[in-house]
Amino acid sequence: MHWHGMELPAVFDGGPHQTIQPGSTWDPHWRIVQPAATLWYHPHPMGRTAQHVFRGLAGLFLLDDDEAPAGVPSRYGVDDIPLIVQDKIFNADGSLSEEASSTFGIMGQDILVNGTYNPVHRVSTGKVRFRILNASNARMYHIGFSDNRPMTIIGTDSGPLPEPIVADRVPLSPAERAEVVVEFAPGEEVILHSYGGSYDLDAGDFDLLKITAEPTLRPSPELPGRLASTPPVAAPPGARVRTFTLNGHDAINHQEMDMHRIDEIVPVGAHEIWEVENHVYAHNFHVHDAAFRVLEAEGDVPPAFRTGRKDTVFVAPKSRVRLAVEFGKYADPVHPYMYHCHILRHEDAGMMGQFVTVEPGTEDQARR
Ligand code: C2O
Ligand code: CU
Ligand code: CU
């Protein structure tokens, strides 16, 4: 089981090296030292992650801390609501069809939210925070409301944004998360919707969740102007630059994933620049044990909501993203972490690489 977005020792990361045999027990343990965030977990077996996640093995791992400023809705199940979005294909008899329809793999037209078809949620407060996870194998969503009401984005993959940002759409590629706060009027009904886009993997419009508001709503406080004190991830001048090229659907830097090959050796706690160059159709890019800030995407400074702490980023067709990446603090020259495309068919096909984090100065001793 992999803890997506968590900083932790590589032996507990739950990557393809840490299989759990039938009937056996795995007892990972570590101390969590990172900002509050909406993280998640899913199995990560070599070549079979798509199947496991499609069958529903994915859940949230919500981290809290003492820094959350007053005014952010945070009563779980009352005004703090998790939403796990997955697309499915159901056969006429209700069973799951696992047929891949394109290079992106399985893309379904039946959307489940928290495992529920055609879901409805009743809100009882004036403001509600939704923590939205795209746990789909390949599908990308452009989240918004049926009446285009504004949402206030307060957090992304790996933590709160420094300040709230108002938007009417939030794009989420697989594994990305967004925390949004939305206002409701008494008695109204509105649909949380996904609008189609132009990348193939985001084709189609979908209703995600019907929201009905109680006839009277408990008032919610104003959102604070500052959300986090953690400075944004930055790489110092002269930081090491690594480049990753994406071609086709099964390799990074022209190499397929090999569990016996370490691709990169990174000093613990390093701040580096990672550049991901996509020469083909849409992909995305996820790094384990790290938090990054998107410095550049599609030749431009990214929209403000993409500058918070993240662990997964969309990489548009034939484009490049530049990331300032902050790595975790656990040294282990033997057990690797992964980086990969989070379109699960691509990950399973080998669009994945391995890195170890080691004490600075010992890079040469790490296994190759
Ligand atoms: Cu959800 Cu290797 O990641
Ligand atoms: Cu991960
Ligand atoms: Cu991909």
Side-chain angles (χ1 to χ4, degrees):
M1 192 61 76
H2 168 58
W3 323 98
H4 182 123
M6 194 80 77
E7 181 187 334
L8 78 181
V11 272
F12 301 133
D13 190 44
H17 298 268
Q18 288 114 16
T19 50
I20 308 168
Q21 294 309 315
S24 68
T25 307
W26 185 49
D27 182 25
H29 47 90
W30 67 92
R31 181 143 180 251
I32 295 172
V33 187
Q34 66 185 85
T38 301
L39 308 184
W40 66 299
Y41 61 87
H42 60 80
H44 213 298
M46 194 60 207
R48 296 179 60 198
T49 297
Q51 188 188 46
H52 282 247
V53 173
F54 191 70
R55 291 182 183 185
L57 272 176
L60 286 169
F61 199 130
L62 305 184
L63 294 187
D64 264 338
D65 63 20
D66 301 331
E67 283 196 21
V72 176
S74 49
R75 280 167 302 163
Y76 182 82
V78 179
D79 59 8
D80 183 351
I81 309 295
L83 301 176
I84 304 177
V85 183
Q86 289 194 310
D87 58 333
K88 305 288 172 195
I89 309 169
F90 292 115
N91 296 316
D93 67 354
S95 61
L96 269 184
S97 159
E98 298 187 344
E99 215 146 311
S101 51
S102 74
T103 178
F104 301 111
I106 310 174
M107 297 258 292
Q109 304 289 324
D110 301 318
I111 309 291
L112 301 189
V113 174
N114 298 348
T116 308
Y117 185 69
N118 252 338
V120 181
H121 180 71
R122 277 182 92 78
V123 298
S124 58
T125 55
K127 291 193 179 76
V128 176
R129 169 195 200 167
F130 295 104
R131 302 172 186 251
I132 312 169
L133 161 67
N134 180 357
S136 303
N137 284 38
R139 188 175 285 290
M140 179 176 183
Y141 304 92
H142 300 267
I143 309 277
F145 278 87
S146 47
D147 61 356
N148 292 316
R149 75 183 52 197
M151 302 172 281
T152 305
I153 310 174
I154 60 166
T156 51
D157 308 346
S158 296
L161 288 170
E163 289 158 11
I165 291 168
V166 177
D168 59 2
R169 296 283 184 278
V170 187
L172 287 181
S173 74
E176 288 186 295
R177 288 87 75 203
E179 297 186 26
V180 302
V181 174
V182 185
E183 279 196 61
F184 296 98
E188 71 170 341
E189 183 178 297
V190 65
I191 308 277
L192 183 68
H193 189 77
S194 173
Y195 292 85
S198 53
Y199 298 121
D200 295 343
L201 73 175
D202 58 4
D205 276 31
F206 299 96
D207 286 348
L208 303 179
L209 178 69
K210 185 198 278 189
I211 297 166
T212 60
E214 302 277 6
T216 56
L217 298 176
R218 250 169 305 139
S220 304
E222 282 303 306
L223 279 177
R226 285 276 325 142
L227 296 165
S229 54
T230 334
V233 181
R240 169 140 192 196
V241 180
R242 302 186 203 240
T243 305
F244 302 87
T245 57
L246 310 179
N247 286 288
H249 74 284
D250 59 2
I252 296 178
N253 290 337
H254 301 282
Q255 286 194 299
E256 263 182 44
M257 162 77 175
D258 178 346
M259 278 178 58
H260 304 290
R261 184 189 68 233
I262 301 297
D263 298 284
E264 305 292 335
I265 298 169
V266 177
V268 284
H271 288 74
E272 301 190 344
I273 303 280
W274 281 29
E275 296 182 345
V276 185
E277 285 186 15
N278 181 5
H279 296 282
V280 288
Y281 41 82
H283 290 291
N284 77 1
F285 196 79
H286 166 51
V287 188
H288 289 205
D289 191 54
F292 57 69
R293 174 191 173 130
V294 184
L295 300 174
E296 184 198 304
E298 297 177 66
D300 224 330
V301 266
F305 67 84
R306 274 202 183 138
T307 59
R309 292 172 72 84
K310 288 180 60 60
D311 59 45
T312 307
V313 63
F314 177 64
V315 193
K318 298 201 191 324
S319 79
R320 180 181 84 151
V321 297
R322 248 181 135 236
L323 311 171
V325 192
E326 171 190 298
F327 289 88
K329 308 236 164 22
Y330 297 97
D332 185 337
V334 175
H335 298 96
Y337 301 103
M338 315 292 131
Y339 52 87
H340 55 88
C341 178
H342 219 289
I343 293 168
L344 298 180
R345 177 168 185 266
H346 299 177
E347 172 184 338
D348 283 348
M351 189 169 257
M352 175 155 68
Q354 311 201 92
F355 69 100
V356 288
T357 51
V358 301
E359 289 302 340
T362 68
E363 288 89 333
D364 291 348
Q365 293 147 43
R367 191 181 69 159
R368 264 284 176 190

